[in-house]
Amino acid sequence: MESVLQHLSSLDDDTKGNGILEYSDDTAMARCVVQSLLTRAGFDERDMARRFAKEYSASPGRGYGSGVIQVLKKLSSPQLSDVYQPARDQFNGRGSFGNGGAMRAAPFALAFPDPADVKKFAHRGAMLTHSCSLGYNGAVLQALAVHLSLQGALDLPLKFISTLITQMEDVESDEATLNDARILKEAEKPFCERLHRVSDLMHRSKVSIEEVISELGNGIAALHSVPTAIFCVLHCLQPRECLPENYGGLERTIAYSLALGGDTDTIACMAGAIAGAHYGIEAIPQSWIKCCEGAEDADMNAERLHMLYQQT
Ligand code: 8NA
Ligand code: MG
Ligand code: MG
């Protein structure tokens, strides 16, 4: 935590010449999702797949997962007839359970007002690289969390988590999910089980960072990072002893997510998207915005996504 806070406060100091901090694979792929939704005025899997492949070949050094690189290379082939096939071939046909589908899922909630569309398109968008249910259901959960947050649901945190559990009970009741969970020796409905742990942690008067990591995880699997990101948002709705008093909720969420360590870019990205939908752009310090690569595009794309949201 100490080094995270030190780094964040150094962003306030103009004399340090911070320069621009480059975004990672998370933002690179989320930008592809946004561009595709905007250009096609809805979900078009071939267009989205083409953009992922093109983006990877233009900037391969943004920290992609080692497995997904193979999918992105195959997606660039003009002969490919089924854009979902490369993802299905991953990990001996099991598909990836990494958090790469979830880390780019927020735009689905910003483009579609109907939760049924949010779920359907977050699922299909994730399936382009993540065909294991423990991967794509993480994307559905992340998109639903952003959707609910946008509706103001974080004003009632206990209701927020119970609504997510109810929604995921339904999402995880299909045969593919039950089968994957059995094979991977997870709980019958893995994301629901984790969300119950989030709820338990919320009820504790004190929770250490070590406990959060051991209960929820901080790794690259969707199951070990999406519920963690949701917990970070909920935990940081109130001021916390370990965080500066002058921080608002969005700053607390980002700092806390980073302090968990592990897959920091992705957990902070997902928690930031959920928190951003709740607090709004005014909550982001100007000094943070100034050093983000692509911040101007993000602002413009947000306006355009909002127009699409109102049309659909
Ligand atoms: P992915 O699909 O390559 O999955 C990530 C990793 O998870 C794989 O490389 C495997 O090691 C493992 N994995 C996934 N599915 C299976 C399976 N069915 N069986 C066995 N192992 C499996 O990549 P992604 O797009 O999901 O990306 C995941 C993360 O990697 C993101 O957080 C992204 O930022 C990136 N990344 C993480 C770190 C880090 O945590 N230190 C560093 C650089 C990049
Ligand atoms: Mg990354
Ligand atoms: Mg990551």
Side-chain angles (χ1 to χ4, degrees), residues 25-26 99 263 265-266:
D25 55 330
D26 308 53
N99 55 21
D263 192 2
D265 70 331
T266 302

Side-chain angles (χ1 to χ4, degrees), residues 286-298:
Q286 277 302 321
S287 59
W288 291 15
I289 295 179
K290 251 201 283 183
C291 59
C292 278
E293 178 187 10
E296 282 174 16
D297 291 348

